[in-house]
Amino acid sequence: MKHLSNRRLAAALLLFCSSEVWGHSAMFPDGFKFDDSNEGDLPPAMMSAMQAATLCQGGSAGGYPCNNVDLMSFVAKADMGGGSANLNDIWGYSDPQTGAEIAIVGRNNGTSFVDVTTADAPVYLGFLPSHNNGSDSWRDIKVYNDHAFIVADGGGNSSHGLQVFDLRTLRNLPSPGQTLSETAHMGGFGNAHNIAINEDSGYAYVVGSNQCSGGLYMVDISDPLNPQYAGCFSSDGYTHDAQCVIYGGPDTEYSGREICVGYNEDTITIVDVTDKFNPVQVSRTLYQGSQYTHQGWFLDGNHSTLIMNDELDESRNGHNTTSYIYDVSDLESPAELGRYVGPTPAIDHNLYTKDGYVYETNYRAGLRILDAENIASGQLSEVAYFDTIPNSNSAQFSGTWSNYAYFASGNVILSDIGNGLFVVRPDWDAINNPDPDPDPDPDPDDPQYCSAASNNASEEWIGEVSLATFSHSSGSSTYSDFTAQVVNLDEGDNAVSLTPAFSGSSYGEYWKIWIDLNGDGDFDDSGEEVFSSGGTSSSTVTGTLTLPAGSEGVSTRLRIAMRYNAAPSPCGSFNYGEVEDYSVTIGAGGGGGGGDSDPVTYSNDASYSIPDNNATGVSSPIDVDRGGASESISVSVDITHTYIGDLEVDLLAPGGTVFNLHNRSGGSADDIVQTYNLDAGTVESSGQWSLRVRDRANLDTGAINQWSLTFQ
């Protein structure tokens, strides 16, 4: 055995000693139960045995929603053996002798083989029944050295073991549509959920079996017809899926060693399996919001980044399809870079990577292709999709199970559980050359900023922002648009104070502020990141925001982001925290903004009861005798209420202009006592102003205690 370095030995001992504390029980239910209810009508194409090629045009290919992906063909499940049995996993085989591209399609009761070399004219070759004729919802296939290795799960496959099929026999079948026979078989285990194969080492890793506590059951397949048990890793219990590689990443402690990344129901667990009889757990990583750690894949052969999915977080946590991005350049300390949140609520299933793109198969949302160009910043962007369930993207278990994207032709095969095999082709010309200027004449007075938000603000959010003389407090929200409020800053130094708020425990938060100084609708230009906390803190962060000479007179957008445990970016989504947008005006210096005249304040100290659940609400008036344009104003309010998430608070100008101050944010927090800074522009200041408060829900009560209006 190769001796462990001190670093690796320490990690191994720590993990061993903590296994009793952190180890989970085996075989959490993965939640899958086929459910095709509420799918809606299917396209006519799916009703036919073979559907020929149809280009994606106008967002549709033969009735299937799409973007930059063409439909090459469809084969219904009834037309590829196995009767009416549903589909599950899918893999591919490229024959090195003939060049044929073969889809290997898992079925509840066996495996179908379809020649998709001519993508618009697929040929069903044959059907391999399950070992001992078992049948259940799960089957998994991988390929090594011209042989398919097949496992199957569920009570109907309790004696399945490892089924081996020589793929070269497909070259000389007497005719299409044959019933095939397994070439070899290995016992030693019965049912198993998945199989991973490291083609560089000649080892297979059976996971989720009835051996090794469901962990890595290692098999030497260097002689495919004589697979041999090689070792076991069971100390972290059940593994749902895995990827195993000869490590070529930046963590030199593990260079050239064989590493498995296991997706272990509630953790990402990395194991050094170089010595099959003495595997060593390298790390075990938990993450917030986990429901069922399902599957993942390295981005590329550099092995420094991986993308992972959680099969039950969408349905249980109530958010859209979420992909978790990890920096694994230090195998002993993986760090979450960010989370990509997709456009639909569909459940995610299997994903794979190729050439800088992520190919996700998300049940009812179908194939989703994501560009990983900005993955180092924790960001992915969708560039193409093909949806096999046109009328539903709900979080239910039907639609696409998996995909295989590694054919030299560039075609991608998809297994739709209840319907059949799809062959599709991404339009790489369209993906790589999108419309370079979709809006050639944007409105310079209305720049369109990128979206940014956290996925969850229930545990931590931006509590208070103080910039120069501006101060604003707010409640829990993943994103808040406070652009009706104006922050007055000066060229040079401006004081910064940023305070997080927590619902319970405190966490380390990382802060950044950006200002669109050149008004081009983004925060990407040099100097537009104007403040960074430089690290995480669970308490108030203070510092200085410095604006360059020459920025006087700029009125633009300011963005503040607070992110849990990692530096935020100005665009995209991340796991926990909040993003807030404000308007900002930059003065010449000397005190953080303001006009040339002395401020004038008007107030109303009378108390006004707020009627419960009333669309009219109550208004507290102030008569202003100051003439001219209002420009910069401050509104200080003192409102008592037992649930401020019910409240809408508006400032009404004499001419009827409405400025929204508070729009049902803050949840169950009590009372609003804060100052809002606004740019009222040319709105006439003379006349009656009103503070209007409307309670839009039942039960809670309150009052306007007092408020004031200051013209700067």
Side-chain angles (χ1 to χ4, degrees):
M1 174 183 176
K2 183 175 179 179
H3 291 293
L4 294 175
S5 68
N6 290 337
R7 176 168 167 250
R8 289 176 54 228
L9 180 59
L13 289 172
L14 176 62
L15 288 162
F16 175 78
C17 292
S18 63
S19 63
E20 291 303 315
V21 177
W22 295 106
H24 54 64
S25 60
M27 302 186 189
F28 294 173
D30 73 357
F32 176 81
K33 184 177 181 181
F34 180 63
D35 175 13
D36 61 353
S37 63
N38 307 311
E39 282 187 350
D41 294 333
L42 299 176
M46 196 177 276
M47 302 299 108
S48 61
M50 300 280 184
Q51 170 67 23
T54 308
L55 296 180
C56 177
Q57 296 179 330
S60 176
Y64 299 98
C66 62
N67 178 42
N68 295 335
V69 180
D70 297 327
L71 171 62
M72 304 309 295
S73 58
F74 167 71
V75 185
K77 64 182 181 181
D79 296 304
M80 49 181 168
S84 62
N86 279 348
L87 281 65
N88 38 60
D89 189 48
I90 196 166
W91 203 247
Y93 169 63
S94 298
D95 191 319
Q97 179 174 310
T98 67
E101 295 182 344
I102 308 297
I104 308 173
V105 186
R107 310 288 295 279
N108 284 7
N109 57 353
T111 307
S112 298
F113 298 85
V114 181
D115 188 333
V116 295
T117 310
T118 304
D120 58 355
V123 177
Y124 162 56
L125 298 176
F127 178 76
L128 173 66
S130 184
H131 184 76
N132 285 344
N133 294 310
S135 182
D136 217 314
S137 297
W138 301 271
R139 188 170 304 273
D140 198 62
I141 311 115
K142 297 297 185 296
V143 169
Y144 173 73
N145 197 15
D146 300 319
H147 290 75
F149 294 83
I150 305 167
V151 299
D153 202 4
N157 292 301
S158 60
S159 63
H160 189 279
L162 180 61
Q163 192 176 37
V164 184
F165 178 73
D166 187 342
L167 294 162
R168 295 170 297 185
T169 62
L170 299 175
R171 297 171 185 165
N172 301 303
L173 295 176
S175 61
Q178 298 290 306
T179 298
L180 307 171
S181 300
E182 64 186 37
T183 310
H185 181 265
M186 174 189 173
F189 66 92
N191 56 292
H193 198 78
N194 272 299
I195 182 170
I197 291 180
N198 183 358
E199 296 184 46
D200 293 326
S201 69
Y203 282 92
Y205 298 85
V206 175
V207 298
S209 76
N210 59 351
Q211 299 294 321
C212 293
S213 298
L216 299 168
Y217 183 93
M218 308 178 206
V219 182
D220 181 349
I221 57 170
S222 55
D223 178 359
L225 299 182
N226 188 32
Q228 297 292 317
Y229 170 77
C232 172
F233 176 77
S234 61
S235 62
D236 194 41
Y238 185 87
T239 297
H240 185 86
D241 210 334
Q243 183 186 13
C244 301
V245 300
I246 301 299
Y247 181 70
D251 192 340
T252 56
E253 288 283 338
Y254 296 92
S255 295
R257 300 187 69 80
E258 189 164 12
I259 299 296
C260 288
V261 182
Y263 299 93
N264 285 21
E265 304 187 298
D266 58 358
T267 65
I268 302 171
T269 300
I270 300 178
V271 184
D272 184 338
V273 294
T274 308
D275 185 337
K276 302 296 182 291
F277 284 100
N278 292 284
V280 177
Q281 186 167 306
V282 175
S283 61
R284 185 175 188 272
T285 304
L286 296 151
Y287 58 97
Q288 287 183 313
S290 68
Q291 295 294 340
Y292 197 87
T293 314
H294 180 259
Q295 184 263 353
W297 214 250
F298 283 114
L299 175 64
D300 52 35
N302 187 47
H303 299 150
S304 61
T305 307
L306 63 80
I307 306 96
M308 180 272 292
N309 52 55
D310 184 307
E311 192 176 20
L312 299 180
D313 57 346
E314 289 83 15
S315 57
R316 291 181 178 175
N317 295 343
H319 53 64
N320 279 7
T321 311
T322 300
S323 306
Y324 301 75
I325 305 166
Y326 275 84
D327 177 352
V328 285
S329 54
D330 180 352
L331 293 178
E332 294 171 13
S333 185
E336 186 176 328
L337 290 171
R339 301 183 183 187
Y340 167 75
V341 180
T344 80
I347 300 169
D348 42 14
H349 204 223
N350 292 341
L351 67 83
Y352 299 98
T353 61
K354 179 185 178 184
D355 298 335
Y357 291 88
V358 183
Y359 294 72
E360 296 189 345
T361 335
N362 297 337
Y363 283 118
R364 289 197 176 187
L367 173 70
R368 300 279 162 164
I369 302 178
L370 312 177
D371 187 348
E373 180 180 6
N374 297 314
I375 199 168
S377 300
Q379 299 179 47
L380 297 166
S381 59
E382 184 178 284
V383 295
Y385 67 83
F386 184 90
D387 189 349
T388 68
I389 306 296
N391 297 305
S392 175
N393 288 318
S394 63
Q396 292 175 260
F397 289 111
S398 68
T400 51
W401 181 288
S402 195
N403 74 84
Y404 181 83
Y406 301 111
F407 287 135
S409 65
N411 295 323
V412 180
I413 49 177
L414 312 173
S415 53
D416 181 290
I417 303 168
N419 295 297
L421 166 67
F422 287 83
V423 184
V424 300
R425 177 179 294 168
D427 183 348
W428 288 107
D429 182 62
I431 292 170
N432 293 322
N433 299 283
D435 183 352
D437 190 4
D439 185 7
D441 297 305
D443 182 356
D445 296 324
D446 185 25
Q448 301 300 305
Y449 289 91
C450 62
S451 60
S454 77
N455 301 320
N456 190 325
S458 63
E459 297 182 46
E460 62 252 86
W461 60 91
I462 297 174
E464 183 175 8
V465 172
S466 295
L467 304 173
T469 60
F470 174 87
S471 181
H472 178 243
S473 300
S474 60
S476 170
S477 181
T478 58
Y479 168 77
S480 296
D481 184 352
F482 294 128
T483 52
Q485 302 190 46
V486 180
V487 181
N488 292 302
L489 301 176
D490 288 328
E491 290 182 350
D493 293 344
N494 298 265
V496 174
S497 178
L498 304 169
T499 303
F502 304 99
S503 60
S505 300
S506 299
Y507 301 99
E509 309 296 338
Y510 203 123
W511 299 80
K512 284 193 177 185
I513 302 176
W514 299 267
I515 296 178
D516 179 18
L517 292 171
N518 63 1
D520 66 348
D522 62 48
F523 304 103
D524 299 335
D525 302 291
S526 177
E528 292 190 336
E529 181 184 305
V530 295
F531 178 82
S532 173
S533 62
T536 62
S537 173
S538 60
S539 57
T540 299
V541 170
T542 59
T544 300
L545 179 159
T546 302
L547 297 178
S551 56
E552 178 190 0
V554 170
S555 294
T556 186
R557 179 74 63 94
L558 179 149
R559 175 163 290 177
I560 302 174
M562 183 196 83
R563 177 180 177 180
Y564 163 70
N565 203 38
S569 299
C571 301
S573 61
F574 50 88
N575 47 2
Y576 289 81
E578 186 182 0
V579 178
E580 293 183 348
D581 279 356
Y582 295 86
S583 296
V584 60
T585 297
I586 302 174
D596 297 329
S597 60
D598 293 333
V600 179
T601 299
Y602 301 82
S603 62
N604 186 338
D605 296 332
S607 178
Y608 294 81
S609 296
I610 302 169
D612 187 36
N613 193 21
N614 185 286
T616 302
V618 65
S619 294
S620 172
I622 288 178
D623 291 318
V624 174
D625 57 8
R626 172 191 185 274
S630 299
E631 298 181 335
S632 296
I633 58 177
S634 297
V635 185
S636 296
V637 304
D638 182 349
I639 298 171
T640 299
H641 197 272
T642 52
Y643 198 101
I644 65 173
D646 291 351
L647 298 183
E648 295 175 353
V649 182
D650 300 309
L651 176 68
L652 279 61
T657 302
V658 178
F659 300 91
N660 179 251
L661 306 179
H662 177 90
N663 189 16
R664 303 194 67 177
S665 61
S668 61
D670 294 341
D671 308 336
I672 303 175
V673 181
Q674 66 183 68
T675 299
Y676 301 90
N677 295 295
L678 310 175
D679 182 0
T682 60
V683 170
E684 171 61 38
S685 58
S686 178
Q688 188 174 88
W689 294 71
S690 295
L691 183 72
R692 181 178 66 190
V693 181
R694 294 181 289 182
D695 183 333
R696 306 310 295 265
N698 286 320
L699 301 179
D700 296 276
T701 59
I704 303 173
N705 299 316
Q706 60 181 12
W707 73 286
S708 64
L709 179 62
T710 300
F711 296 86
Q712 303 294 339

